[in-house]
Amino acid sequence: MAGKVAHVGSLIDGERVFENEFGTISQLAASSLPILSGMSLKRITLAPGAIREPQWNVNANQIAYVAAGTVLVSLLGNGDSFASFVVRTGQMYHVESGAIYHIENVGDGNAEIIAALRTDRPEHFSLQDSFSAMTNAVLGNTYDLPSDAFAAFDRHHSSQIVRRDGPARIPDTAGLPNARLFDAEAQAAPLSYEYGWAKLARKQYWAALEDLSMYRLAVHDDGMREPHWHPVTAELGYVHKGHAKMRVLSPDGSLDEYVLEPGQAYFIPRAYPHHIETLGEDGFQFLIFFDQPMPADIGYRATASAFTREVLSAAFGVPERELPTFPHTPTDPLIVSRTNPRDT
């Protein structure tokens, strides 16, 4: 059944923020998916040698997952804190709000980045536009140079994605440990089941996080993400691989069900019950972003253990003798086995 508000949109085919021969930037924000609240998602593709120009987010921290390729990130943060580091496929980086940074494809193939921002209406400034806002005299005074040193600056609007001349220059320090870098791929899955696993980029493993986190969730054909809700966090998921079915309940009683495909994203407001089930033999892999550094949930399975059978009988209107034999569950599993056939 169709509800009043869509929970799902395409990140690949969605709102195109920028495109040229060197790459693309697309996003899902409140302007394109109105249900979004406090979060948005961007997809950046860079051809070999392409650069996402230096820029900074006005109103949001950001975490990003490199889905393909190898990129160099250089960043200048508050108090002149500087970092430059290489991020490879399966790794993540964090950029605090207001820090100026660039992303450069230093690999041989195309790069793809999925970035979550802690706002539903992202805004940014570019280095190009910020220089263009000042006169040559002001720039000259800033750098102890004559104003005509900036005569070549024609004040054109920023291109967002540009191309590097010559080979990439990777600093010798780029391989050193960095608090803004997290190797999600190398992490041994803290939650592992016979029918799926989850790798967790959250504050207990990545101290830099303040108001965002990410689960890389894989569910096999014989598994299912149990019905659950998140009491204090919204959920913004991206379908990285595979196909799935999702069902969401809204407070007005409307029920929405979606078939999710690669490149799509979905948003679940905090405390909305939902579940995700595999479609197809290959299972699925999601990148699931949260608006809290330590997300948690309440699952249906543990809920049935929290109340007496007399209470459940009265709540469901089912005689106690006809209630299922619910397994005692003090701690909810993230993934359960799918022993029954899929619903048609």
Side-chain angles (χ1 to χ4, degrees):
M1 292 183 290
K4 297 178 181 178
V5 180
H7 293 263
V8 175
S10 174
L11 186 58
I12 292 178
D13 300 325
E15 180 184 357
R16 189 58 58 92
V17 177
F18 183 82
E19 181 176 14
N20 65 12
E21 64 268 37
F22 309 131
T24 63
I25 303 172
S26 57
Q27 73 175 16
L28 279 176
S31 57
S32 53
L33 190 63
I35 197 173
L36 284 174
S37 176
M39 300 178 76
S40 55
L41 208 58
K42 290 190 177 185
R43 178 178 181 263
I44 303 163
T45 64
L46 298 173
I51 295 173
R52 174 67 170 99
E53 64 159 356
Q55 57 104 40
W56 63 94
N57 299 316
V58 173
N59 55 351
N61 292 331
Q62 171 186 301
I63 57 175
Y65 178 89
V66 177
T70 301
V71 299
L72 174 69
V73 177
S74 295
L75 179 151
L76 180 64
N78 199 23
D80 291 333
S81 61
F82 178 76
S84 187
F85 48 94
V86 173
V87 191
R88 295 180 171 82
T89 302
Q91 296 182 326
M92 301 182 68
Y93 61 88
H94 174 273
V95 179
E96 59 268 32
S97 183
I100 184 169
Y101 71 103
H102 100 302
I103 313 165
E104 182 175 353
N105 186 350
V106 295
D108 295 329
N110 292 333
E112 178 188 9
I113 299 149
I114 307 298
L117 291 90
R118 190 59 169 84
T119 178
D120 52 65
R121 299 181 185 275
E123 297 177 325
H124 78 277
F125 287 112
S126 73
L127 182 63
Q128 163 68 29
D129 288 343
S130 64
F131 266 55
S132 294
M134 305 301 164
T135 66
N136 288 353
V138 168
L139 294 174
N141 294 339
T142 301
Y143 294 99
D144 295 325
L145 294 170
S147 61
D148 61 9
F150 297 90
F153 284 49
D154 63 5
R155 269 53 182 185
H156 67 271
H157 187 61
S158 65
S159 297
Q160 298 203 46
I161 298 177
V162 295
R163 186 172 178 83
R164 173 186 70 236
D165 289 330
R169 295 180 60 186
I170 301 176
D172 294 337
T173 57
L176 297 177
N178 191 292
R180 295 182 176 94
L181 176 66
F182 182 75
D183 197 340
E185 182 64 30
Q187 183 188 55
L191 298 176
S192 183
Y193 308 84
E194 183 179 347
Y195 26 84
W197 49 263
K199 298 186 177 185
L200 314 179
R202 62 187 191 187
K203 193 170 183 65
Q204 74 186 103
Y205 303 110
W206 192 4
L209 298 180
E210 298 177 4
D211 55 8
L212 286 165
S213 56
M214 192 275 288
Y215 283 15
R216 184 165 173 239
L217 176 67
V219 177
H220 307 323
D221 175 58
D222 56 351
M224 186 185 78
R225 178 67 174 102
E226 73 151 332
H228 65 284
W229 65 94
H230 303 279
V232 296
T233 183
E235 175 178 328
L236 178 55
Y238 176 72
V239 185
H240 187 37
K241 297 178 182 178
H243 296 74
K245 181 174 68 174
M246 180 182 72
R247 179 173 286 193
V248 186
L249 178 65
S250 296
D252 63 2
S254 61
L255 190 63
D256 294 273
E257 189 166 275
Y258 302 92
V259 173
L260 302 173
E261 301 178 348
Q264 288 187 317
Y266 66 86
F267 182 76
I268 309 294
R270 61 177 57 189
Y272 277 40
H274 59 286
H275 108 292
I276 306 169
E277 185 175 354
T278 60
L279 290 176
E281 298 179 355
D282 296 331
F284 65 76
Q285 291 189 27
F286 284 7
L287 308 177
I288 304 178
F289 298 92
F290 301 97
D291 61 3
Q292 301 288 332
M294 285 289 292
D297 62 69
I298 296 174
Y300 280 34
R301 181 160 173 150
T303 299
S305 298
F307 303 98
T308 66
R309 290 181 65 82
E310 292 83 0
V311 169
L312 295 176
S313 173
F316 295 135
V318 175
E320 184 179 342
R321 65 181 179 276
E322 296 180 17
L323 284 174
T325 304
F326 296 111
H328 179 64
T329 308
T331 303
D332 257 310
L334 189 77
I335 308 169
V336 296
S337 61
R338 188 185 59 78
T339 56
N340 293 303
R342 293 185 182 92
D343 295 318
T344 56

